[in-house]
Amino acid sequence: MPLNMLPQGFEELEPFQAYWGAPDTQTRRERREAATMDEIMAFYDVVLPLAPAAMKHLEDVSLDAMPPAEARLFELVLALAHVSMAVELHGAPRAPHTPYPHGVKLMNGPAHFG
């Protein structure tokens, strides 16, 4: 993905867009489960401090008419929610003591970015 695909001020997140900028919940979960903790931490450590500014930037943008750069930023913020499970709760990419791979598929997420 070419550079400058995110809104100004969020250039530091560009290297993570290709992997973590997933369009739906199922893909975000699968990518977290497939990533190493080093990959997860590299993303988490960069996106977490930028998350408040990202949310502020996005708060007046309509989900129904989100420009592409803002949509990509929003996908990264949603990915933060997924990786924070690994970092803050599980201490691993997947929940401890669960089979992997598993057959769980999220078929119908929310209308936007679901």
Side-chain angles (χ1 to χ4, degrees):
M1 181 170 284
L3 292 178
N4 303 317
M5 295 297 288
L6 295 170
Q8 186 175 4
F10 299 99
E11 297 83 1
E12 195 174 356
L13 297 175
E14 297 275 354
F16 301 102
Q17 178 60 40
Y19 187 80
W20 294 107
D24 58 69
T25 301
Q26 177 70 24
T27 305
R28 286 187 288 274
R29 184 188 58 79
E30 289 171 354
R31 289 184 181 175
R32 172 182 51 89
E33 290 178 348
T36 67
M37 279 307 288
D38 286 342
E39 292 166 332
I40 289 170
M41 289 305 303
F43 174 62
Y44 181 86
D45 287 343
V46 173
V47 73
L48 184 64
L50 294 171
M55 294 305 296
K56 182 73 174 160
H57 178 85
L58 295 168
E59 72 182 11
D60 293 326
V61 179
S62 169
L63 286 174
D64 292 321
M66 195 171 277
E70 278 71 17
R72 287 187 285 273
L73 179 61
F74 190 54
E75 290 170 352
L76 291 174
V77 172
L78 292 172
L80 172 62
H82 285 264
V83 300
S84 68
M85 294 286 291
V87 174
E88 300 171 13
L89 184 62
H90 303 312
R94 297 173 292 282
H97 313 295
T98 58
Y100 182 80
H102 52 73
V104 175
K105 297 285 183 208
L106 304 172
M107 301 304 290
N108 294 316
H112 301 287
F113 303 93

